[in-house]
mmCIF file of all heavy atoms in Angstrom:
data_model
loop_
_atom_site.group_PDB
_atom_site.id
_atom_site.type_symbol
_atom_site.label_atom_id
_atom_site.label_comp_id
_atom_site.label_asym_id
_atom_site.label_seq_id
_atom_site.Cartn_x
_atom_site.Cartn_y
_atom_site.Cartn_z
ATOM 1 N N GLU A 159 -12.855 8.471 3.067
ATOM 2 C CA GLU A 159 -13.463 9.803 2.944
ATOM 3 C C GLU A 159 -14.916 9.793 3.402
ATOM 4 O O GLU A 159 -15.662 10.715 3.095
ATOM 5 C CB GLU A 159 -13.453 10.234 1.477
ATOM 6 C CG GLU A 159 -12.128 10.287 0.818
ATOM 7 C CD GLU A 159 -12.318 10.532 -0.672
ATOM 8 O OE1 GLU A 159 -12.823 9.644 -1.376
ATOM 9 O OE2 GLU A 159 -11.978 11.620 -1.117
ATOM 10 N N GLU A 160 -15.317 8.738 4.047
ATOM 11 C CA GLU A 160 -16.711 8.598 4.471
ATOM 12 C C GLU A 160 -16.732 8.087 5.911
ATOM 13 O O GLU A 160 -15.712 7.614 6.419
ATOM 14 C CB GLU A 160 -17.449 7.622 3.536
ATOM 15 C CG GLU A 160 -17.541 8.161 2.109
ATOM 16 C CD GLU A 160 -17.907 7.108 1.066
ATOM 17 O OE1 GLU A 160 -18.177 5.943 1.441
ATOM 18 O OE2 GLU A 160 -17.897 7.439 -0.119
ATOM 19 N N GLN A 166 -17.246 3.054 1.455
ATOM 20 C CA GLN A 166 -15.780 3.039 1.631
ATOM 21 C C GLN A 166 -15.389 2.340 2.929
ATOM 22 O O GLN A 166 -14.353 1.671 3.003
ATOM 23 C CB GLN A 166 -15.214 4.465 1.619
ATOM 24 C CG GLN A 166 -15.303 5.124 0.254
ATOM 25 C CD GLN A 166 -14.578 6.461 0.165
ATOM 26 O OE1 GLN A 166 -13.901 6.879 1.096
ATOM 27 N NE2 GLN A 166 -14.716 7.134 -0.968
ATOM 28 N N SER A 198 -10.882 15.389 2.303
ATOM 29 C CA SER A 198 -10.289 14.525 1.269
ATOM 30 C C SER A 198 -8.939 15.077 0.815
ATOM 31 O O SER A 198 -7.977 14.323 0.629
ATOM 32 C CB SER A 198 -11.230 14.435 0.069
ATOM 33 O OG SER A 198 -12.405 13.788 0.451
ATOM 34 N N SER A 216 -11.285 10.345 -4.018
ATOM 35 C CA SER A 216 -12.316 10.462 -5.060
ATOM 36 C C SER A 216 -11.887 11.474 -6.117
ATOM 37 O O SER A 216 -11.372 12.541 -5.774
ATOM 38 C CB SER A 216 -13.636 10.897 -4.436
ATOM 39 O OG SER A 216 -14.070 9.876 -3.579
ATOM 40 N N HIS A 219 -12.328 15.207 -5.831
ATOM 41 C CA HIS A 219 -11.405 16.029 -5.035
ATOM 42 C C HIS A 219 -9.981 15.935 -5.593
ATOM 43 O O HIS A 219 -9.344 16.944 -5.839
ATOM 44 C CB HIS A 219 -11.430 15.590 -3.567
ATOM 45 C CG HIS A 219 -12.769 15.800 -2.914
ATOM 46 N ND1 HIS A 219 -13.287 17.049 -2.683
ATOM 47 C CD2 HIS A 219 -13.705 14.918 -2.466
ATOM 48 C CE1 HIS A 219 -14.493 16.934 -2.112
ATOM 49 N NE2 HIS A 219 -14.760 15.646 -1.969
ATOM 50 N N GLU A 273 -19.581 3.616 -6.372
ATOM 51 C CA GLU A 273 -20.349 3.619 -5.117
ATOM 52 C C GLU A 273 -21.837 3.865 -5.404
ATOM 53 O O GLU A 273 -22.592 4.178 -4.499
ATOM 54 C CB GLU A 273 -19.795 4.686 -4.172
ATOM 55 C CG GLU A 273 -18.331 4.452 -3.828
ATOM 56 C CD GLU A 273 -17.847 5.305 -2.675
ATOM 57 O OE1 GLU A 273 -18.636 5.608 -1.769
ATOM 58 O OE2 GLU A 273 -16.669 5.689 -2.709
ATOM 59 N N ARG A 296 -24.223 22.374 -4.527
ATOM 60 C CA ARG A 296 -22.912 21.962 -4.001
ATOM 61 C C ARG A 296 -22.326 20.822 -4.819
ATOM 62 O O ARG A 296 -23.007 19.835 -5.119
ATOM 63 C CB ARG A 296 -23.040 21.523 -2.542
ATOM 64 C CG ARG A 296 -21.709 21.075 -1.936
ATOM 65 C CD ARG A 296 -21.429 19.595 -2.130
ATOM 66 N NE ARG A 296 -20.062 19.240 -1.762
ATOM 67 C CZ ARG A 296 -19.603 17.995 -1.708
ATOM 68 N NH1 ARG A 296 -20.394 16.986 -2.002
ATOM 69 N NH2 ARG A 296 -18.363 17.758 -1.402
ATOM 70 N N MET A 298 -18.365 18.527 -5.357
ATOM 71 C CA MET A 298 -17.033 18.295 -4.805
ATOM 72 C C MET A 298 -16.105 19.363 -5.384
ATOM 73 O O MET A 298 -16.515 20.131 -6.245
ATOM 74 C CB MET A 298 -16.561 16.877 -5.133
ATOM 75 C CG MET A 298 -17.309 15.822 -4.344
ATOM 76 S SD MET A 298 -16.785 14.141 -4.734
ATOM 77 C CE MET A 298 -17.721 13.788 -6.193
ATOM 78 N N LEU A 317 -17.564 22.508 -2.094
ATOM 79 C CA LEU A 317 -17.435 22.439 -0.627
ATOM 80 C C LEU A 317 -16.902 21.070 -0.234
ATOM 81 O O LEU A 317 -17.134 20.081 -0.943
ATOM 82 C CB LEU A 317 -18.814 22.573 0.048
ATOM 83 C CG LEU A 317 -19.505 23.929 0.107
ATOM 84 C CD1 LEU A 317 -20.898 23.765 0.717
ATOM 85 C CD2 LEU A 317 -18.691 24.918 0.941
ATOM 86 N N ALA A 318 -16.243 21.001 0.923
ATOM 87 C CA ALA A 318 -15.840 19.702 1.477
ATOM 88 C C ALA A 318 -17.105 18.961 1.917
ATOM 89 O O ALA A 318 -18.118 19.589 2.252
ATOM 90 C CB ALA A 318 -14.906 19.900 2.659
ATOM 91 N N PHE A 319 -17.031 17.641 1.939
ATOM 92 C CA PHE A 319 -18.173 16.784 2.298
ATOM 93 C C PHE A 319 -18.745 17.179 3.673
ATOM 94 O O PHE A 319 -19.960 17.250 3.861
ATOM 95 C CB PHE A 319 -17.640 15.344 2.344
ATOM 96 C CG PHE A 319 -18.677 14.250 2.254
ATOM 97 C CD1 PHE A 319 -19.856 14.398 1.565
ATOM 98 C CD2 PHE A 319 -18.399 13.022 2.858
ATOM 99 C CE1 PHE A 319 -20.769 13.345 1.472
ATOM 100 C CE2 PHE A 319 -19.304 11.971 2.777
ATOM 101 C CZ PHE A 319 -20.492 12.140 2.088
ATOM 102 N N VAL A 335 -25.252 16.705 -4.841
ATOM 103 C CA VAL A 335 -25.309 15.422 -5.544
ATOM 104 C C VAL A 335 -24.421 14.398 -4.846
ATOM 105 O O VAL A 335 -23.288 14.701 -4.477
ATOM 106 C CB VAL A 335 -24.914 15.621 -7.039
ATOM 107 C CG1 VAL A 335 -23.586 16.351 -7.205
ATOM 108 C CG2 VAL A 335 -24.884 14.301 -7.794
ATOM 109 N N ASN A 336 -24.976 13.198 -4.646
ATOM 110 C CA ASN A 336 -24.255 12.106 -3.978
ATOM 111 C C ASN A 336 -25.031 10.801 -4.156
ATOM 112 O O ASN A 336 -26.224 10.835 -4.449
ATOM 113 C CB ASN A 336 -24.102 12.410 -2.477
ATOM 114 C CG ASN A 336 -22.667 12.781 -2.129
ATOM 115 O OD1 ASN A 336 -21.734 12.024 -2.408
ATOM 116 N ND2 ASN A 336 -22.487 13.948 -1.550
ATOM 117 N N PRO A 337 -24.390 9.666 -3.951
ATOM 118 C CA PRO A 337 -25.155 8.407 -4.003
ATOM 119 C C PRO A 337 -26.136 8.313 -2.825
ATOM 120 O O PRO A 337 -25.928 8.953 -1.790
ATOM 121 C CB PRO A 337 -24.083 7.322 -3.887
ATOM 122 C CG PRO A 337 -22.784 7.994 -4.102
ATOM 123 C CD PRO A 337 -22.960 9.421 -3.735
ATOM 124 N N PHE A 339 -26.695 6.082 -0.511
ATOM 125 C CA PHE A 339 -26.207 5.698 0.830
ATOM 126 C C PHE A 339 -25.598 6.905 1.545
ATOM 127 O O PHE A 339 -25.725 7.047 2.763
ATOM 128 C CB PHE A 339 -25.189 4.535 0.737
ATOM 129 C CG PHE A 339 -23.797 4.999 0.427
ATOM 130 C CD1 PHE A 339 -22.945 5.404 1.447
ATOM 131 C CD2 PHE A 339 -23.356 5.097 -0.871
ATOM 132 C CE1 PHE A 339 -21.676 5.890 1.153
ATOM 133 C CE2 PHE A 339 -22.093 5.576 -1.166
ATOM 134 C CZ PHE A 339 -21.253 5.976 -0.149
ATOM 135 N N ALA A 340 -24.953 7.808 0.771
ATOM 136 C CA ALA A 340 -24.312 8.979 1.378
ATOM 137 C C ALA A 340 -25.367 10.020 1.776
ATOM 138 O O ALA A 340 -25.215 10.715 2.783
ATOM 139 C CB ALA A 340 -23.304 9.582 0.411
ATOM 140 N N PHE A 361 -20.896 7.444 -8.979
ATOM 141 C CA PHE A 361 -19.824 7.978 -8.129
ATOM 142 C C PHE A 361 -18.686 6.960 -8.142
ATOM 143 O O PHE A 361 -18.858 5.837 -7.694
ATOM 144 C CB PHE A 361 -20.332 8.180 -6.695
ATOM 145 C CG PHE A 361 -19.311 8.821 -5.799
ATOM 146 C CD1 PHE A 361 -19.393 10.164 -5.474
ATOM 147 C CD2 PHE A 361 -18.243 8.090 -5.288
ATOM 148 C CE1 PHE A 361 -18.433 10.766 -4.664
ATOM 149 C CE2 PHE A 361 -17.280 8.671 -4.482
ATOM 150 C CZ PHE A 361 -17.380 10.011 -4.178
HETATM 151 O O1 LIG B 684 -19.461 14.375 -1.867
HETATM 152 C C1 LIG B 684 -18.371 14.118 -1.357
HETATM 153 O O2 LIG B 684 -17.508 14.972 -1.157
HETATM 154 C C2 LIG B 684 -18.098 12.679 -0.912
HETATM 155 N N1 LIG B 684 -19.097 11.776 -1.362
HETATM 156 C C3 LIG B 684 -18.915 10.486 -1.215
HETATM 157 C C4 LIG B 684 -19.996 9.523 -1.520
HETATM 158 N N2 LIG B 684 -17.749 9.989 -0.827
HETATM 159 C C5 LIG B 684 -16.573 10.795 -0.513
HETATM 160 C C6 LIG B 684 -16.701 12.186 -1.086
HETATM 161 O O3 LIG B 684 -15.775 13.047 -0.530
#
Side-chain angles (χ1 to χ4, degrees):
E159 302 172 291
E160 295 164 4
Q166 291 188 6
S198 295
S216 295
H219 296 293
E273 300 193 32
R296 180 271 170 173
M298 289 179 277
L317 286 175
F319 199 30
V335 52
N336 253 305
F339 83 86
F361 184 102

